[in-house]
Amino acid sequence: MMLVAEHLPARPRKASASRRRRHHSRLPYRLHQHAPAAASILLAPVWTDTQGPQERVFVARALDANGEPVRIPPGGSRQIASLLQGAFPGADWNQAQTWHAKTNQLTTWQQQERRVAA
C-alpha cells in the first residue's frame, strides 16, 4: 500500500440541499472513475508535519467485492476525499470513514471492520 500525502481544507465545502442530493446520487459513478470495481472505500485522515506545522491529509484504500485491493491512481486519494466530503458534509472527518458502494452510505470505521479487513 502506498501512502500519498495530499492536503485538503479542514472544513468540507458547503452546498445547498438540492446540490448535495444531486452530488450524492452521482457519487457512485464519480468514485468508480477513480477506483473501478470498488465495493468499499476507506478514507483515513493522517496528520503529518514533514514541512513545518501539522497538516491533515487523507489516504484512500479501495477494496473490491472479494476484499482484494483496487488500484487508485496518483492523486486519487485527494479527489476521492473531496467527493466524499462534498456528499457527506456532516461526517466526522477526523475519524476514518468507510463508503459502501452497495448502499451509497458512509459509516465510521469500526473495530469490527478492522478485524474483517485484516
Side-chain angles (χ1 to χ4, degrees):
M1 179 174 93
M2 183 172 80
L3 294 178
V4 179
E6 298 169 339
H7 176 68
L8 285 178
R11 296 175 188 247
R13 64 182 180 260
K14 304 274 186 200
S16 67
S18 64
R19 185 172 295 264
R20 281 194 310 270
R21 283 191 299 271
R22 184 174 63 231
H23 183 68
H24 188 267
S25 68
R26 298 205 24 94
L27 186 62
Y29 169 75
R30 290 180 177 166
L31 289 173
H32 178 73
Q33 291 176 325
H34 300 288
S40 66
I41 297 176
L42 171 67
L43 190 65
V46 178
W47 285 265
T48 65
D49 62 354
T50 58
Q51 299 174 357
Q54 283 195 339
E55 291 182 318
R56 181 177 64 172
V57 296
F58 290 92
V59 177
R61 179 176 178 146
L63 299 175
D64 65 10
N66 297 326
E68 297 295 320
V70 174
R71 181 168 158 66
I72 297 175
S77 290
R78 181 182 53 79
Q79 299 212 346
I80 288 171
S82 177
L83 289 169
L84 288 172
Q85 285 180 340
F88 302 99
D92 181 6
W93 293 106
N94 291 319
Q95 296 184 10
Q97 302 286 336
T98 304
W99 176 79
H100 305 278
K102 186 180 272 186
T103 61
N104 194 20
Q105 294 297 315
L106 192 73
T107 58
T108 303
W109 196 45
Q110 300 296 324
Q111 185 69 26
Q112 292 173 347
E113 292 181 39
R114 293 178 193 162
R115 281 190 223 121
V116 171

